[in-house]
Amino acid sequence: MIKSVVKEFLNSHDKILNGEFDEEIIELSDASRVRKVFKELAHIIFESKEILKREYAGGRAIDGLLSMFVDAVTSENYKDSRTAEGKLFLLISDNYRDIMNKFPYESEDGEPSVYDKLLLVTDFICGMTDTYALELYKNLSGINL
């Protein structure tokens, strides 16, 4: 498909640069039929009940993790390991916490800003594999221990 699109791009190069090209290159390329089949296949695959359940469950896991960790890092107790918030904060990778502390974007009274704390959470969660995120959510929610 890539070779076909590149070939069509080269064929239409002058029209593209002159602003006279208003098509989808792939639709004009030799790969147009392959794309059509992939689109049809995608509808079949992504409307599968099993896939829909997994997408929904994954979304719930991400929402849950974000909620837990955002609540933890925005709490005044996030540095106290005896509190629930402190325990969650310590579950965040040392590397991410060190970066936030050493290189904060903003600082408020010597503390990382709320923005930095939220960035810490999003970086941590975005760095997770799907499997790890789901397992961590199950563990923290008490579904699996």
Side-chain angles (χ1 to χ4, degrees), residues 19-129:
E20 301 167 0
F21 191 85
D22 194 23
E23 308 279 334
E24 283 194 48
I25 290 178
I26 196 165
E27 294 297 334
L28 298 176
S29 75
D30 296 335
S32 64
R33 291 183 307 189
V34 174
R35 181 175 189 231
K36 182 180 178 186
V37 170
F38 277 145
K39 284 176 98 174
E40 291 171 7
L41 185 60
H43 286 293
I44 293 167
I45 292 171
F46 296 120
E47 290 178 4
S48 151
K49 290 191 185 317
E50 193 59 37
I51 297 294
L52 294 172
K53 287 190 287 187
R54 288 175 184 255
E55 282 183 7
Y56 183 79
R60 293 289 303 250
I62 297 300
D63 287 346
L65 289 172
L66 282 169
S67 179
M68 287 180 224
F69 283 98
V70 165
D71 288 349
V73 300
T74 57
S75 164
E76 292 180 9
N77 299 322
Y78 82 99
K79 286 189 173 181
D80 185 350
S81 63
R82 296 170 298 172
T83 66
E85 296 89 350
K87 289 176 172 69
L88 281 173
F89 180 70
L90 289 175
L91 288 176
I92 297 173
S93 166
D94 292 346
N95 294 336
Y96 289 111
R97 287 187 285 122
D98 287 345
I99 290 170
M100 178 190 72
N101 289 322
K102 290 178 183 173
F103 307 105
Y105 180 75
E106 297 173 329
S107 186
E108 297 169 357
D109 299 326
E111 286 284 314
S113 68
V114 172
Y115 174 80
D116 286 298
K117 292 174 186 177
L118 296 176
L119 189 59
L120 168 70
V121 171
T122 56
D123 286 346
F124 175 58
I125 293 174
C126 286
M128 295 179 184
T129 63

